[in-house]
Amino acid sequence: MRFNHDILHRIPVRSLQVFEAAARHANFTQAGDALGITQSAVSRQIGELEKRLGVPLFARAGPQIALTRAGEVLFERAARAFADLRAGVAACRAVEGLSNVVTLSMLPSVAALWLAPRLEEFAKAHPEIDLRVSASRHLVSFEAEGIDLAVRYGPGNWPGLVSEFLASETVRPVCTPDYARRIGIEQPSDLLKATLIHPDIEEGWSDWFAAAGVAVDAVPSGPSFSDDTAALNGVLGHQAVFLGRSVLTARELEAGRIVAPFDIEMPASFGYWLVRPGGQEPSAARDSVRKWILQAFGRPAQEV
């Protein structure tokens, strides 16, 4: 087989970008979410790239994918190339005085329920900063994805990263006042006759019923959401009771749109952390965003 030295002229850079994202996430759907395209679009781009290269890049077994040896070779170089390009773009912008762009990563639920209500407050405090939010559930690669800061929910001990504690939280049942009246929720055992939305965290309904002293052989089944925003929308629609996390439900509780029928709450296993790579180059804009987030969570901002 003859190698065509002009092959790069026939391969769209977008296809390589999609391949790099798919290989990094090991999942076409997550790659599409990160790039803002559909899973089918990712699949088409990968198929076209494989056709142009003449080699399979992924071994597919149903929804599971894995890099072939050829895919591993290409990914190693593509990841390095895109990381260099992102660093080059950032350096270029800094030279031209455009270093006011800060990309912040966080869970979609935190972006929707914690950050979004505070965006006007941030814009008034820092009109000079171009804040870009990357909402995703995966643990981002800061260099590969061009992320400056991240708000993460977890234990706080991520290797190679600097973590600053933001907040712990508690978990307790929440619902609308109307739903509580309609179902007749007066004591913890009354929740057994409600529709229960099951959370995607360590703490579950069996833990809460045990804390409330309610003996149950089996917790009633119910819908489960991987994102608290969707779960809270179900609650706000007067449809169910959810084990709400205090940080994410605080505004709705304060506004009276939802209530916590009981004071029984559990400490969450994880907390919120502000995370950044160790050894970052100084950036006034990034440090301003960092200090604002710490202040919004009620934490002191130490100098870095």
Side-chain angles (χ1 to χ4, degrees), residues 18-28 31 46 58 65 67 71 75:
V18 171
F19 162 75
E20 188 268 345
R24 175 159 35 88
H25 292 285
N27 184 287
F28 284 4
I46 297 299
F58 291 97
I65 62 170
L67 285 169
F75 176 57

Side-chain angles (χ1 to χ4, degrees), residues 136-154:
S136 61
R137 291 182 56 81
H138 72 281
L139 293 182
V140 297
S141 170
F142 283 81
E143 183 178 11
E145 299 180 51
I147 302 298
D148 296 298
L149 296 167
V151 174
R152 285 186 177 175
Y153 183 70

Side-chain angles (χ1 to χ4, degrees), residues 169-171 203 265-270:
E169 66 180 354
T170 57
V171 181
E203 298 71 35
E265 56 188 16
M266 302 179 295
S269 300
F270 295 143

Side-chain angles (χ1 to χ4, degrees), residues 171-177 180 185 208 241-242 244 249 252-253 256-265:
V171 181
R172 60 179 173 175
V174 294
C175 63
T176 61
I185 299 175
W208 187 85
V241 183
F242 180 54
T249 59
E252 298 295 341
L253 283 166
R257 288 185 285 270
I258 61 175
V259 295
F262 310 106
D263 292 331
I264 304 165
E265 56 188 16

Side-chain angles (χ1 to χ4, degrees), residues 176-185 237-240:
T176 61
D178 177 73
Y179 189 77
R181 286 191 296 268
R182 179 154 50 90
I183 300 298
I185 299 175
H238 315 290
Q239 299 294 315

Side-chain angles (χ1 to χ4, degrees), residues 53-140:
L53 291 174
V55 295
L57 299 172
F58 291 97
R60 300 165 175 83
Q64 304 299 318
I65 62 170
L67 285 169
T68 63
R69 178 56 187 150
E72 290 175 353
V73 170
L74 180 60
F75 176 57
E76 179 183 355
R77 289 159 175 78
R80 187 163 58 242
F82 279 109
D84 286 345
L85 281 172
R86 293 186 185 100
V89 170
C92 175
R93 292 179 65 84
V95 168
E96 295 300 323
L98 298 175
S99 57
N100 63 329
V101 176
V102 177
T103 302
L104 175 65
S105 169
M106 57 180 56
L107 287 167
S109 56
V110 179
L113 301 175
W114 183 84
L115 179 62
R118 294 172 170 81
L119 284 177
E120 183 178 5
E121 173 190 327
F122 175 82
K124 288 181 178 179
H126 297 287
E128 78 285 1
I129 295 177
D130 181 1
L131 183 65
R132 301 181 182 182
V133 180
S134 173
S136 61
R137 291 182 56 81
H138 72 281
L139 293 182
V140 297

